[in-house]
Amino acid sequence: MNLNDNQLFLILNAIQESKVPIGSGRLLEKLKKNGFNISLSTMGRILEEIDDDGYIKKDGYKGRVITKLGEEKLSELQFIKETNIVQTELMELINKTGKVGMLNYLHARKAIESEAIRLAVETITDEEIESLASILAKELRTLRDQNLDATNDKIIQSQGELDYKFHHAIIKASNNPYFDTFYRLLEASGKMQEMYFFIVGQSIEDHIIIFESIKERNGKEAILSLRNHLDNVISKCESYWKNRELVEKYLKDKLSLIV
C-alpha cells in the first residue's frame, strides 16, 4: 500500500505519542479514530514497509517504537502539514479581500525580494546565473509562442510558472532559507503567481534588466531594477481592479435600467 504524507504522519505520530512500544492492533484502534479504516493484516504489511524505510523498529515482541530517522521524518511531515494549512488560510484571505489582498501580497513580496536580491548579488554562483539565463530563454520562447497563439491557456500557464521560477531562483541564490520558506508560503504553491500573472501579463523586459544587473553583480542596480519591476506589477494590478470596478458598476447600472 502506497502511503500518502498524511497517512504516514498519522502512523508515526501515533507511535511517537505512545509511551510504550505499540502493537499493530492497538495502533490500528488509534488510527481508526482518524478515519484510517484498514484490516489488521494490511496494517501489518504497512508497518513492515515503514520498518524497511528505517522510520520505526520492533522492540522484541512488545511492539514498535519510532527511530531517530522516524522522528526527523515526522518533523518534516508536521512542517508540510502546517505549511499547507497556512497556504489554505492565505488563499482564503486573498479571495476574501480581493484587491487589498492582492496588493498586500505584492508589497510583502517587494520587501522580501529586495533584501533577497541584495544577498543574491553577493553570493550567486556562475551555475545559478546560468540557471537564470536558461529560465529567461524559456520565457522568451513562450512569449514567441504566445504571439503565434494568444488564446492558448497552456502557454499562458507556462509563462506564469516561468515567472515564478525566475523570482524563486533569485530567492534561493540569497542562501537564506527563511526567505525561501516565506516566499513559497506567499506563492501558495504557485496559485497566487498564476492569479496575478493573469492580471499583469508577462514582464520579460523587466526580467532581462534584473538579470543583467545580477550578472554584473551590481547590487544597487539589482535592487532598483527589482523594485521598479514590482512597482510596475503593483501599478498594473491597481489599474486592473479600477477598471474591473468600473465595468462592474456599468453592468450593474445597465441591468437596473433593464429591470
Side-chain angles (χ1 to χ4, degrees):
M1 178 179 178
N2 293 323
L3 296 176
N4 59 40
D5 285 347
N6 186 57
Q7 291 170 330
L8 181 57
F9 171 82
L10 290 173
I11 293 172
L12 293 179
N13 190 55
I15 294 174
Q16 186 186 56
E17 286 181 345
S18 178
K19 303 300 181 182
V20 295
I22 187 169
S24 301
R26 175 60 182 148
L27 178 60
L28 188 55
E29 288 179 15
K30 295 183 69 174
L31 293 174
K32 282 184 176 179
K33 296 177 182 178
N34 291 297
F36 209 112
N37 296 313
I38 57 174
S39 67
L40 186 59
S41 59
T42 300
M43 183 79 258
R45 289 193 294 272
I46 289 173
L47 292 176
E48 287 178 359
E49 291 176 7
I50 303 176
D51 283 340
D52 293 339
D53 291 332
Y55 298 143
I56 57 176
K57 65 179 181 180
K58 289 182 179 179
D59 185 1
Y61 294 100
K62 299 177 184 178
R64 285 177 169 85
V65 295
I66 193 167
T67 64
K68 179 66 175 176
L69 182 62
E71 290 176 346
E72 292 174 358
K73 183 64 176 179
L74 182 59
S75 295
E76 176 190 329
L77 293 171
Q78 179 67 37
F79 176 77
I80 293 172
K81 191 180 183 73
E82 292 173 353
T83 298
N84 289 337
I85 292 172
V86 172
Q87 288 177 342
T88 300
E89 291 176 350
L90 180 63
M91 288 306 298
E92 289 176 353
L93 175 63
I94 291 169
N95 288 334
K96 287 179 181 177
T97 55
K99 173 185 175 181
V100 175
M102 174 66 74
L103 293 176
N104 284 341
Y105 150 78
L106 289 171
H107 283 295
R109 273 191 55 187
K110 183 179 176 182
I112 292 172
E113 292 189 54
S114 293
E115 179 61 16
I117 199 170
R118 183 187 69 79
L119 295 173
V121 169
E122 297 174 358
T123 61
I124 196 165
T125 64
D126 291 340
E127 290 76 13
E128 287 171 327
I129 289 176
E130 289 178 6
S131 178
L132 272 175
S134 176
I135 294 170
L136 269 181
K138 290 177 182 177
E139 284 191 274
L140 286 168
R141 284 197 295 272
T142 55
L143 178 60
R144 178 202 61 196
D145 293 340
Q146 187 187 21
N147 289 335
L148 296 174
D149 186 2
T151 61
N152 192 319
D153 290 339
K154 288 185 178 180
I155 294 175
I156 296 173
Q157 181 181 0
S158 177
Q159 286 181 313
E161 291 170 354
L162 288 169
D163 189 281
Y164 169 78
K165 287 180 179 180
F166 180 82
H167 286 271
H168 193 205
I170 295 172
I171 293 284
K172 289 193 292 185
S174 73
N175 289 320
N176 186 318
Y178 291 98
F179 284 156
D180 187 36
T181 299
F182 290 149
Y183 185 74
R184 285 186 288 113
L185 282 174
L186 280 174
E187 291 308 316
S189 300
K191 293 178 182 178
M192 176 52 62
Q193 190 75 11
E194 292 176 15
M195 188 188 302
Y196 108 78
F197 189 84
F198 170 77
I199 295 172
V200 175
Q202 61 84 21
S203 305
I204 187 66
E205 295 88 354
D206 288 353
H207 284 186
I208 291 172
I209 295 171
I210 293 169
F211 171 74
E212 290 297 333
S213 62
I214 293 174
K215 185 179 178 181
E216 294 171 5
R217 291 178 167 78
N218 186 330
K220 289 184 179 180
E221 185 60 34
I223 294 171
L224 180 62
S225 59
L226 177 78
R227 287 177 176 171
N228 286 340
H229 166 52
L230 289 177
D231 282 340
N232 289 337
V233 171
I234 290 169
S235 178
K236 288 180 180 179
C237 281
E238 288 174 336
S239 295
Y240 165 82
W241 286 105
K242 182 178 180 180
N243 291 333
R244 175 174 166 172
E245 289 164 0
L246 288 173
V247 170
E248 288 177 348
K249 183 179 184 302
Y250 171 78
L251 292 175
K252 184 178 180 180
D253 291 343
K254 293 291 284 185
L255 182 61
S256 64
L257 288 174
I258 294 173
V259 175

